[in-house]
Amino acid sequence: VAMAAAFFDAGADVAKIATTAAGGPPDAARVLSAAAAARGPTIALAMGEAGLASRLLAPKYGAALTFGALSPARASAPGQPSLADLTSMYRLGAQTPATRVFGVLGCPIAHSRSPAIHNAALAAAGLDGVYLPFLVQPGGLPAFLAAFDDPSYAGFSVTLPHKGAALAAAAEADPTATLIGAANTLVRLPGGGYRAYNTDATAAVDSIAEGLRKARTAG
C-alpha cells in the first residue's frame, strides 16, 4: 500500500506492483490487499503458479486490470493464465467484492481438473463464487489459511500433501475425519475457523456398497 501511495504522490495515474510469489500464495494475498486498499487505480500481481490468485481474483479486490495470454504458449510472464480461462472458467467479468472463493489446495496442483468442474457447476447454479487452484508447498497450509482469513473464503478441497495438516488446522472435525486422521475438505464456520471433513472415506464405502449391491442383483 505504501508503495502504491508513493507512485500516486509522484503523479502516477495508475500504480503497478509486480512481484514474484516466492513466499507462496500469502504473497498473492498481500498484493491483492494492496490493490483493495490503494487510493487510486492499481494493478497488483504476484507472478508464478503460487501467485495465480492475484490474477484470478483481481476484479474481486478492485484491481485496475489483470493480464491474460492469447494462448498458454504465448504467456508473457510466469503464471499468466489464458484469456479463455480468465473469461470463461473463472468468470472475471462477474466477480464482485462479495464473490465467494473456494479452491483446491495441494502440491502439485496444476494438473487438477477441479477448477474446471466446480466453476462450471457454480456457473450452472447461478452462484456468485469462483473456485481456484492454490499451489501450497508442504508445511505451508497454516500460513495459507492465515493469509486468506476472510469470511468470503468459504471452503477448500484438500489434496496431497496436506490432508493431515488440514485436520490439525481445523477448529472442528467430523467423526470420520478424526477417526482416519486426515481431511480432504475444509468448510468455514460462521464464527471463523474451519470444520474438517473426510469425504474420501464416504465415497469409497458407498462405491463398495454399490458394487456389492449390483453383484448380488446380477447373481
Side-chain angles (χ1 to χ4, degrees):
V1 176
M3 185 179 294
F7 294 157
F8 291 120
D9 288 342
D13 294 316
V14 178
K16 181 181 179 183
I17 301 168
T19 184
T20 299
D27 287 348
R30 281 189 278 273
V31 298
L32 286 168
S33 295
R39 71 171 190 257
T42 299
I43 304 163
L45 301 171
M47 293 184 289
E49 185 184 352
L52 185 60
S54 66
R55 299 177 182 275
L56 300 183
L57 297 176
K60 174 178 170 64
Y61 284 82
L65 56 84
T66 190
F67 297 87
L70 292 177
S71 70
R74 298 179 67 179
S76 60
Q80 188 178 86
S82 69
L83 285 171
D85 282 350
L86 288 172
T87 57
S88 180
M89 186 187 306
Y90 297 104
R91 296 181 294 148
L92 261 68
Q95 287 184 26
T96 71
T99 297
R100 300 172 76 197
V101 180
F102 307 86
V104 55
L105 318 180
C107 182
I109 204 62
H111 66 284
S112 176
R113 300 306 299 162
S114 291
I117 294 168
H118 290 286
N119 281 308
L122 289 166
L127 297 176
D128 183 12
V130 61
Y131 186 103
L132 274 60
F134 290 99
L135 177 66
V136 180
Q137 296 293 335
L141 184 65
F144 172 87
L145 295 176
F148 291 94
D149 187 18
D150 181 297
S152 67
Y153 286 75
F156 302 103
S157 309
V158 182
T159 189
L160 294 174
H162 302 299
K163 295 187 178 186
L167 179 64
E172 300 179 5
D174 80 332
T176 302
T178 301
L179 180 64
I180 294 172
N184 74 333
T185 305
L186 293 173
V187 177
R188 181 176 286 276
L189 296 166
Y194 291 89
R195 180 173 174 83
Y197 296 87
N198 191 309
T199 63
D200 289 332
T202 304
V205 171
D206 288 350
S207 296
I208 293 170
E210 178 64 11
L212 291 172
R213 184 191 66 78
K214 289 180 177 178
R216 287 195 300 269
T217 301

